[in-house]
Amino acid sequence: MPTLQDFQTERATWCPGCGDFGVLNAMQKAVINLGIEPDDIVVVSGIGCSGKMAQHFGAYGLHSLHGRSLPTAQAVKLANRKLTVFAAGGDGDGFGIGMGHFIHAIRRNIDITYIVMDNHIYGLTTGQASPTSDEGAKTKTSPYGTVEAPIAPLQLALAQNCGFVAQGFSGNIKQLTTLIEKAVLHKGFSFVNVFSPCVTFNKVNTYEFYKSHLVNLDEDPSYDPHDRVQALRRVAEAGNVVVGLIYEDPHRQSFEESLHGYPETPMVHNDLSLGEADYETILASFR
Amino acid sequence: MPTLQDFQTERATWCPGCGDFGVLNAMQKAVINLGIEPDDIVVVSGIGCSGKMAQHFGAYGLHSLHGRSLPTAQAVKLANRKLTVFAAGGDGDGFGIGMGHFIHAIRRNIDITYIVMDNHIYGLTTGQASPTSDEGAKTKTSPYGTVEAPIAPLQLALAQNCGFVAQGFSGNIKQLTTLIEKAVLHKGFSFVNVFSPCVTFNKVNTYEFYKSHLVNLDEDPSYDPHDRVQALRRVAEAGNVVVGLIYEDPHRQSFEESLHGYPETPMVHNDLSLGEADYETILASFR
Amino acid sequence: MVREFGWKVGGKQGEGIDSTGEIYAIALHRMGYYVFSYRHFMSLIKGGHTNYKIRVADRLIRHHGDDVHVLIAFDQTTIDYNWNDMVDGGVVIFDASAFTATKPSERNVHLFGVPLTDIAKEAGGPIMKNMVAIGVTAAINQFSPDDFIPVVRDKFGRKGQAVVDSNMEALRRGYAYFLEHYNVFFPAPAKPTAPAPDHLYISGNQAVAFGALAGGCRLLAAYPITPATEIMYWVLQYFPKYGGVVIQAEDEIAAVNMAIGANYAGVRAMTSTSGPGFSLMMEALGLAGMSETPLVIVDVQRSGPSTGLPTKTEQSDLNEAVFGTHGEIPRIVLTPRTVEECFLYTAEAFNLAERYQCPVIVLSDLFMGMSFHSVDQLPVSNVSIDRGKLISDEDLARLGRWEYQRYDHTVPDGISPRALPGQRNGRHVALGNEHNGVGIEVEDLETRVNQMAKRARKLLHFNHWSGVTVDGPDRASLALIGFGSTWGVLEEAREVLANEGIEVKHIHFSRVLPFPAEAFRAAMDGVEKGLVVELNSTGQLRHLIQQFAGYHERMDSCLKFNGDPISLREILTRAREVFPTGVLN
Amino acid sequence: MVREFGWKVGGKQGEGIDSTGEIYAIALHRMGYYVFSYRHFMSLIKGGHTNYKIRVADRLIRHHGDDVHVLIAFDQTTIDYNWNDMVDGGVVIFDASAFTATKPSERNVHLFGVPLTDIAKEAGGPIMKNMVAIGVTAAINQFSPDDFIPVVRDKFGRKGQAVVDSNMEALRRGYAYFLEHYNVFFPAPAKPTAPAPDHLYISGNQAVAFGALAGGCRLLAAYPITPATEIMYWVLQYFPKYGGVVIQAEDEIAAVNMAIGANYAGVRAMTSTSGPGFSLMMEALGLAGMSETPLVIVDVQRSGPSTGLPTKTEQSDLNEAVFGTHGEIPRIVLTPRTVEECFLYTAEAFNLAERYQCPVIVLSDLFMGMSFHSVDQLPVSNVSIDRGKLISDEDLARLGRWEYQRYDHTVPDGISPRALPGQRNGRHVALGNEHNGVGIEVEDLETRVNQMAKRARKLLHFNHWSGVTVDGPDRASLALIGFGSTWGVLEEAREVLANEGIEVKHIHFSRVLPFPAEAFRAAMDGVEKGLVVELNSTGQLRHLIQQFAGYHERMDSCLKFNGDPISLREILTRAREVFPTGVLN
Ligand SMILES: Cc1ncc(C[n+]2csc(CCOP(=O)(O)OP(=O)(O)O)c2C)c(N)n1
Ligand SMILES: Cc1ncc(C[n+]2csc(CCOP(=O)(O)OP(=O)(O)O)c2C)c(N)n1
Ligand code: SF4
Ligand code: SF4
Ligand SMILES: [Mg+2]
Ligand SMILES: [Mg+2]
C-alpha cells in the first residue's frame, strides 16, 4: 500500500497558507486510502498557482496549457483506462478560458476526476478578477468592482446533468478527502469544486469567511444527493456557499462503457501493426 | 416604419424547406413590429448554414468565425449602444466550439439578442453529430450512434441565471416572432433557442417531430416564467422539447448599466483626441 | 492513338452529380483504366454549381487534366461554366427534359439534347436521370452497358435486385437513345496492357487515414471541417476494429490537446483539420514542442485566409506550418507529393513524432485530399513502426526514486527516453514551462540554455528519406520547383516541355522542415532559372527557399490562388514566359 | 568623472523588493537623474529570487547596464546570484539581522552587514527594513536623507503623516548607521546640467497604454497574462474618463474577436497579450485581414515556447507575428525601439489599422514593457488621428439601395471606404469568407482573384516613416543589426566599439512588415559583415532578412535566449569575435 512518503516531492512553491496545500493533501490522502499506486496516477493540470498541482502531487504529471487540462486529461484516460486520472486547475483556468471544455467533459462523461481550486481570483498572475469573483469584487482588473455575475459552477454542472458533483473546502481536509475518494470511485466524469483560499490576493473569500458561512450538506440528513432539481435549488438558495456531496447519479454510463469498440484492456497495450489479412481487407475496399 | 421590403436581399441559399427560413422571417418581422430601421441593426453570425443569417437578414452584418459570434457581437453593441445587435448561429457554433463564450455572455449580460438555430446537426459541413444531437443519433461522425449526452442549452442558461431565456420553433413563426420581440426589448443578454429543422441531414428532429411533441409553455396559464428553479424543472421534465418564454428576470442590470464610466451616448461618437489639459495630467503622473 | 479522355458531369448541388461521377469513375477504374477525379463544389448545401471531372487514361496519371471531351450538363450553368474546357469537337449532352441549351460562344462543340429525365421516368423514376446519363456516355465512349453491371450492383445491391435492374434499365435506355440519335464518339483508349500489381482507387484523405491506421495511430481527435472530415469518416469505420478511438471534440483546441494527452500516455494519436482549425492549434503546437510530446497534425489545406473558400484548394498554410506558434520549437513538416505518399508519410509521421519527440505536421490540401486517384499500389510494405526511445521497465527499475530524468539534457542527440504513465519508477511531469530533468519548472539560466539546446539538437542530425526529389535531366539549367500535391501536374509539364525541346528538371519538396537545404542546393546545381509553382498568392515556398538557401535572383513564381487546382496549361504558359526558350530556337 | 552607477536590491519574492527599488528609482529620477530599472522575478508568488536593478546616469540611457556598484541583499541567494555583476570595489550591504553573508568567491567586493530588520524594528516595525536599506544606500551615494521626503510622502501619504514619519525615520537610521560604521562611498554623478524638457519615468507597458489612449483607442478587450497585464491596469485607470471601456474577456479568442467587433462598429479597439494568448489569436487575425477590419494587437513577448518562462524576456514571436494565421492577409508589424516609440507607434498603429484596414501587430517584450525608463519627453505632439477612408453620410445618401460597395475591388489603391453600422444606406456584411463588393460570399474565380489582389494592393505602396534606422557612420563596413527593444543597448555597443576604433553602423528595424527592403538595402550599402543581435535561439530576424533581402553570407548572429535581457558585454564580446578587427590593429 502506498504511503504519503511515496508521493513526496520537493516542497510546493505555493505561498504559506495557500488553500492549495489542503487540496494537495486531500488528493494524496484520498488515493492513499484507495490504495492507488502513484505510478498509476496522472495529474493533468492547467496553468495557474493551482496548475502547479501536476508538479507537486508526486505522480505522473502533465502540466498542460491554461484552460486545457480537461481535453488533455480525457485523452490520457482513454489511452490507458487503468490509470487514475485527475484534471486539476483554477477557477480562471476551468471556468474562464476552459469553460467550453468543462461543459463538454460533463457530456462526454469519461471516467476522470476534475478538481477545481476555486479561489475566486487569478492567483499566479497576481490578483485579477476571476470568473467566480463575487459581484462587485475589487481586484487589479476591477478597480471599480466587477460587474459580471460570477460563474455558478455547481449549477452549471447540475444543469448539464453531471454524474458526480461535490464541493469541498481546503479548510476541511477530512471532508474533502472523502469527497475526492467518492469522486475517484464514481464511474464517469466527477467534478469536485474546492474553495481554496488565496491568502495573498483575495482578502474576501478567506478561511474565516468560509468557516462562518459554509452550509455543509453532508451533515443535513434531509438532503438527498440524488435529486438533481432539489440540488439546484439548495445550491442556489445558499448562494453556492455549500459543501458536501451535491449530486450523484450512479447509473449514468461512462463514455468508455458506451463507446463502440472501446477495448477492455488499456489502449496503450494495443498491437500497432496490421497483419497481412488486415491489409488485404482494407486494400480490397479500394479496388 | 420599415417594411419587409427594406430588408430584401438576394434569395437565401438555404435548402428549400430549411428551418432557417422561418427564423429569418421571424427575426425580420420582430424588428419590423418594433419599428427598428435595418440600418440600425447588426447581425453577427458564426459559421454554419445558420451563419449565413448575417448575409440574408438584410441589415449590417458581421459574418465572423465559427463559434465567435458572441464576443464579436457584444463588442459591436458596446461600441454603439444605439444599435440593435443580434448574434446568430447554429448549435455546433454556439454550443460546441462557442460554449465558453455563451456562458460568459450570460454572465456579462450585455444587451444583445442571441438566436441559435438548433437543428441538432452540423448542417454546412454536411451532417456530423452536433452537441445537441440526441443521444444515440446516427450521423456521419457517429455511425454507431452518439454516446455523449446532448447539451442542455436552456438548463445551462437558467443555471447561469440568464435574464431572458426562450425557446421557439421555426414551424411556428408567429410565436417565434413574439419571443424575438420580447428578447430584443429585454435589457440585457437574451437567449432564444430555436428548433430549426435541417431537412437535408436530420431525419429525426423534423417539423413533424416537433409538431407532435412540443409542449408550449406560453399556452400553459399555470406556468410562471419568473421562477427559475421551476423553469429548470419543467424544461428537464419535457426533455427540453418545450417552446415559449421560459424565464425572464426583468430586473437584472445589464453590463452597460453597471459599468463604471460607460457613456450614455454611443461610444462610436466619442471624441478621440486628447486635449492639452489631458496630456498635462497624464504626463504629470509620469514625472 | 487515343491515350486518354476527359469527362465531366455538372449541375446543381444536391442533384446527384457526385454519385454520377463516382459510378462512372469506379466503373472505368474497375475496367483497368487509370482514373483521376476531381470534385468542384460550393460552400452551400443545395443549389450552386458543382461538377465532377474525370480523366481516364491508359497509364498512371496524377491530375484530372485540362480537357473535357464529354460533358453532361444538367443545367445551362454547367455549360457556361465549363465551355472553355471543352476540346474542339467535344460533346455536350444536356438534359433536354429540363432546358434547352445554348452555346455560350460559337465553337466547334456538339450540343446534344437527351431527355434524360423523361427517359429516367420511363425506366422507373426521375431520380435515375444520372444513370441515363451514364448510359449515354457509355455509348459515346463505346463501352458496353454490361461493363457497368458490377458497379451498379455494388452501389444499389443492398436496396434489392429490383433497384439494380431499374438502374441498369435506365442506363441501357440512355445508351440506346444516344446510338439512335447521334453519331459522334470518343472511343475510350485501349486498356493498359500491363495490369497494375494492385490497381487501387483512393483519395488523399483516405490514404492519410489508412496511413494513420497502418502507422499505429489509434486515437483521432478532430472537429469536422471541410476538406478534412473525410479522414474522420474513414477512421471511424476502421479504428473500432483495432481497439482505436475517434473523438469528435468540442473544438480544434480540445482536439489537439487530446492528441497530446493520448500521445503522452503512449497511444499514437493525431488530429486532422484544415486552415481555421489549424490556426486554433498554434498554442498547443508549442506545448507539444516544449514538452517533447509526439504529436501528428494533418492539415488538409483549403483556400484562405480566414473562412476563405472552404470548398476550394490552396497551398497557403505553409507559412503557418513552418512558423506558427510563439517561441521556438523543433518540428517536422511533411508535404506528401502523391496519394501513395499521403499514405506512407502519414504512417511515417508517427515514427518521426516518436523518434524526435516533437510535433509533425502533414500538409495535404483539398485537391490532394478529395480527389480520387487510380494508383498501381500503396507502399504498404514500406510501413514500419519505430517507437523511438521508450525506456524499458527494467531500465527504470534500476534507477532510484525520482532518478529517472525524462528531460536529460546531456544525451548527445538531445533525445531522452520517454517513460509512460503506469510504468513503475518513471514518474515525471511533461510540461510547457521551461523545466529541469524531471519536469519541474525552473528558471535558472543554465537549465534554460541546456534545455533549449537539447530540443534544438534533436533535429540537427535529422535523417529521413523525405525531402527533395529531382526528376528530369540532371544538368538542366531550368527547373520547375514545387511542394506537395502539385508534383503530378509538374511532372506532366516537365514532360511536355521536354517534348518541346525545353530541358527542364523538376525539383519537388516532400518535406520542408527540417529544410533539406543540402539536397536542394545539390538539385539547384547548374540551374539558372527556377520557376516555383505554388497555389498561393505570395510565393510562400519561394520565400522559404530564399530564407534557407538563397537563390533570390534565380527564381520566378507561377502562382495560382483562385481556388481551382492549377492546370497543366497554366504551368506551361508561365514556363514558356519565364524560361528563356529563345536560346533553343 | 563618475557618470553613472548601478544599484540593485534582491531577496525573496513577496519581501517588498519591488517597492524598495521603486522608491529609490523614483527618488533619483525626481532628482533629475536618468534612471533605467529592470525587474527580475519568477513565475511564483512567494519565495524565489527577485531583484530590482537600477542604473543611474547623468544622461539618457536605454538599458539597465551590466554593472552593479551597490547591492542590497536580503538573503545569501541574492549575493550568489549577482556576485559576478559587482564591479571591483563594489559594496554589498546585507541584512545582518537575518543572516551572515559569505563571499561566493574571493573578489575585491565589500560585504557590509547592516542589521536592517533590527533597525527597522526600532524605527517602528520590521516591514520598514527596505526604508533602512534605502537610507544606507543614500549614504553610500552621498545623497541627503531629505532628498527622499517627497517620494516617501507620495508613497505613504494617504496612510497618514505618522507612517510617512516612521518611514523617514527608518531611512535616516539606516543612513546614520552606515556613516557610523563604514567608509566606502559611490558618490552619485553630478546631476545633468541641462534639464530635460519633460523628465518622465515610464515603462514600455505604460507607454503602450498611453499611446493607445492618445491614438484614440477606446476599447481594450484582454485576458490577463504576464507581462502584458499592466497595459490593462493603466488603461483601466484612464479609459473610463474618456468614455472608454475595458473588458476582461473570458479568453484571448474572445478578446481579439471583441476588438474586431468594436473596430467594425467604428470604435478604435485593441487587445494586448503575450505569446500564448497571441497564438490563440491566429484565427481571428485572419478574419481581420479578410474582412478588412482594422485591428491592433499588442504582443508583449516573453520567453517561449509554450508557457516557457513567463516572467522572462525574449524576442521570439517575430515569426508568428509575420507568418501566423492560415492563408494570406495584409498585415503590419511594428517593433518600437524605445519607450517613446512604444507610445507613438501604438498611437500610430490605430491610424495604420484604419488607413490600411488590416491588422497591425505591435511587438514589445517583457524587457521593454516592464522596465522603467527616464526619458526627456514623449512625442505627444506627433500624435495625430487619421481615420482613413470612412464614407460620409452624404456620399452614402447619393447611392441607391445596396449600391454601396464596401469591398469595391476596383479602387486603385485597394482601399475602399468603410461605412459604419447605423449609417443610412451603408449596409454590407463584413466577413471572413471570400466575398463580392457588398460582402456576400461568392466563389467565382474572378471575384476571388480581384479581391485577393485588392487586399494585397493595399500595402504595395505602403508609406510610413517607421522602418529602418541607421545610426553611426554611413560608410562603415560593419553593422550591428537588431529590431525592437534592443536598440538602446546596441547603440551603446556601437559607441563603445567606435571608441575602440571599430567603425560600426547600427541598423535597426522599428517595423518588419511591410518589410522595409529598400531602406534596408540602402543601409547595407558597403556593409561587409552584419551582426544580427536578437533575443531568440534561431535568429528569426536574420532569417527574415534573408528571406526578403538576402545577404546570407554577410550576416552573423548574436543570440541570447536564457530569459535575461542581453547585456552590453555580451554584445561586445560577440562583436569582437565576429568583426574582423584585425585589419584595424
Ligand atoms: C493562454 C494563456 N493566457 C493567459 C495566461 C496567463 N495566466 C496564467 S495563470 C492565469 C490565471 C490563473 O488563475 P486561476 O486559473 O484561477 O489559477 P490560480 O492561480 O488562481 O490558482 C493566467 C491568466 C496563460 N498562461 N495562458
Ligand atoms: C474553426 C473552424 N472549425 C470548423 C469549421 C467548419 N465548420 C463550418 S460550419 C460547422 C458546423 C456547422 O454546424 P452548426 O453550427 O450547427 O450550424 P448549421 O450548419 O447546422 O446551421 C463547422 C464545423 C470552421 N469553419 N471553423
Ligand atoms: S498567490 Fe494565492 S493561490 Fe497563488 S500560491 Fe499564493 S495564496 Fe496560493
Ligand atoms: S443543410 Fe440543413 S441546415 Fe443547412 S441549409 Fe440545408 S436544411 Fe438548412
Ligand atoms: Mg484562481
Ligand atoms: Mg446545426
Side-chain angles (χ1 to χ4, degrees), chain C residues 307-363:
Chain C
T307 311
L309 293 167
T311 61
K312 299 291 182 298
T313 199
E314 206 162 271
Q315 297 181 299
S316 60
D317 298 353
L318 183 66
N319 276 340
E320 186 161 55
V322 172
F323 297 112
T325 208
H326 61 285
E328 295 161 314
I329 54 163
R331 77 180 89 183
I332 297 163
V333 181
L334 304 176
T335 54
R337 305 171 304 151
T338 61
V339 74
E340 295 94 322
E341 284 188 357
C342 282
F343 169 80
L344 187 59
Y345 279 45
T346 307
E348 273 297 295
F350 293 90
N351 289 341
L352 294 174
E354 289 212 313
R355 199 180 301 147
Y356 295 100
Q357 300 180 10
C358 76
V360 179
I361 297 161
V362 179
L363 278 186

Side-chain angles (χ1 to χ4, degrees), chain B residues 13-20 49-50 119 121 123-124 196-201, chain C residues 45-46:
Chain B
T13 54
W14 292 308
C15 306
C18 175
D20 296 354
C49 293
S50 45
N119 54 15
I121 198 85
L124 188 60
S196 176
C198 171
V199 296
T200 304
F201 296 111
Chain C
I45 305 304
K46 285 193 177 152

Side-chain angles (χ1 to χ4, degrees), chain C residues 539-579:
Chain C
Q540 298 186 17
L541 176 65
R542 181 177 167 189
H543 279 90
L544 202 67
I545 294 171
Q546 291 180 178
Q547 163 159 157
F548 285 113
Y551 301 102
H552 295 63
E553 281 76 35
R554 278 193 252 169
M555 289 188 295
D556 238 312
S557 279
C558 171
L559 304 174
K560 179 161 187 184
F561 47 92
N562 69 3
D564 277 352
I566 198 160
S567 68
L568 181 60
R569 201 172 294 133
E570 287 163 321
I571 297 170
L572 292 173
T573 306
R574 181 83 182 119
R576 291 187 193 113
E577 265 168 41
V578 167
F579 290 150

Side-chain angles (χ1 to χ4, degrees), chain B residues 6 8 39-40 52 55 58 60-63 71 75 78 101 104 108 262 267-268 270 272 278 286-287, chain D residues 30 198 201 206 218 242-243 245 247 250 258 264-265 401-402 420 422-430 441:
Chain B
D6 296 311
Q8 214 60 57
D39 288 330
D40 290 329
K52 314 229 172 197
Q55 294 176 39
Y60 280 90
L62 210 176
H63 191 169
L78 287 182
H101 307 306
H104 283 276
R108 202 172 282 118
Y262 185 68
M267 284 177 64
V268 67
N270 278 1
L272 297 192
D278 298 315
F286 295 121
R287 278 172 199 145
Chain D
R30 295 252 178 102
D198 192 2
Y201 187 63
Q206 290 177 335
R218 290 297 177 272
Y242 296 93
V245 167
I247 317 177
E250 57 269 30
M258 284 172 174
Y264 165 77
R401 200 150 65 98
W402 296 120
L420 302 181
Q423 278 191 293
R424 294 294 168 255
N425 217 20
R427 283 180 275 162
H428 66 275
V429 182
E441 54 177 294

